[in-house]
Amino acid sequence: MTRNEQVPRKITFITGNQHKVKEAQGIFNHFQIEVEHVDLGYPEVQGDLDEVALFGSRYAAKRLDKPVIVEDAGLFIRELGWFPGTYSSYVQSTLKNKGILKLMEDVRDRYAEFRSVVGFATPNTEPEIFLGVVEGHIAREERGNYGFAYDPIFIPNGYDKTFGELKREIKNRFSHRRRSLEKFALWFEDYRGD
Ligand code: IMP
């Protein structure tokens, strides 16, 4: 079989976030990968995105006894010393977007990036990780009802709209998650199992 005769493949995506599931389905459609969603909580080790993805994928693959992917993301704002970064989840549920906007009130350099790391592991092999980044800046106010969490305050480069104002299909063309999942999908095409 040649590489172009693409065989539909399936991957188990471990997440508790329905938005991420929908985004992943839209992205994996382009690569003939079917997503099986499992909401298996895994311990989020204190560390950077790579460490969370490595630990989470290793843990979930062993628990379910099959290959899995997990994904860990965060918003990194340069002028705030790359805060909230690995604290993105905590900050989203405490300070929320309003708190971030307040911190950014008098800040001129509004550069920010979303980073996403996908971890793939099997029960018998060491995990692989795939990084995706999208650059942009922090808006002056929340805008838009699409997406989730930080989407209404993040304006990707080349756009004057926030992710919250862009339909999922558009966000999925170039988001941090598109980039990490696409890297994984291209690698996975040639993956022949352990
Ligand atoms: P997680 O640990 O990967 O689930 O994400 C950390 C925090 O960033 C959570 O509050 C998420 O809701 C938020 N987050 C992750 N990805 C995105 C995104 O694509 N847009 C907006 N917020 C996100």
Side-chain angles (χ1 to χ4, degrees):
M1 180 162 321
T2 67
R3 193 167 178 274
N4 291 336
E5 291 171 51
Q6 289 177 329
V7 187
R9 310 188 76 184
K10 202 176 195 171
I11 189 71
T12 301
F13 182 23
I14 312 293
T15 180
N17 183 330
Q18 284 299 333
H19 296 277
K20 287 190 179 184
V21 175
K22 292 212 175 76
E23 288 188 10
Q25 281 164 341
I27 293 164
F28 280 147
N29 259 337
H30 297 282
F31 302 95
Q32 283 76 44
I33 296 175
E34 197 185 315
V35 183
E36 181 200 36
H37 169 223
V38 176
D39 184 359
L40 166 80
Y42 57 89
E44 280 214 6
V45 286
Q46 204 35 259
D48 60 22
L49 300 184
D50 289 6
E51 286 166 321
V52 173
L54 284 167
F55 183 89
S57 57
R58 200 184 278 127
Y59 172 90
K62 287 204 192 308
R63 274 286 303 275
L64 297 181
D65 197 26
K66 61 178 169 182
V68 301
I69 56 169
V70 303
E71 190 257 0
D72 197 45
L75 176 68
F76 294 75
I77 304 173
R78 181 165 59 199
E79 195 62 18
L80 301 183
W82 304 113
F83 181 83
T86 52
Y87 301 104
S88 291
S89 229
Y90 179 72
V91 168
Q92 181 57 222
S93 55
T94 51
L95 288 182
K96 305 189 168 55
N97 289 343
K98 297 235 175 332
I100 294 283
L101 291 174
K102 187 99 192 124
L103 287 175
M104 294 294 287
E105 222 164 46
D106 299 319
V107 175
R108 287 192 59 189
D109 172 10
R110 306 187 73 80
Y111 177 87
E113 57 191 43
F114 268 121
R115 298 181 200 158
S116 156
V117 175
V118 170
F120 167 84
T122 80
N124 311 313
T125 53
E126 276 305 295
E128 302 275 342
I129 50 175
F130 306 86
L131 169 70
V133 178
V134 62
E135 300 184 322
H137 65 275
I138 300 299
R140 291 273 168 195
E141 71 283 306
E142 292 183 77
R143 294 201 318 248
N145 297 315
Y146 294 121
F148 62 102
Y150 296 104
D151 281 342
I153 59 166
F154 180 81
I155 302 175
N157 281 357
Y159 287 77
D160 54 11
K161 292 186 166 152
T162 67
F163 265 164
E165 294 174 296
L166 297 173
K167 289 191 173 153
R168 187 188 308 130
E169 184 194 316
I170 313 283
K171 179 184 173 191
N172 265 355
R173 286 185 196 154
F174 61 90
S175 72
H176 48 312
R177 192 158 295 107
R178 166 60 182 255
R179 290 173 176 163
S180 59
L181 288 175
E182 177 165 341
K183 271 191 199 165
F184 161 74
L186 294 172
W187 175 86
F188 193 55
E189 272 178 16
D190 292 328
Y191 178 74
R192 291 291 166 261
D194 57 318

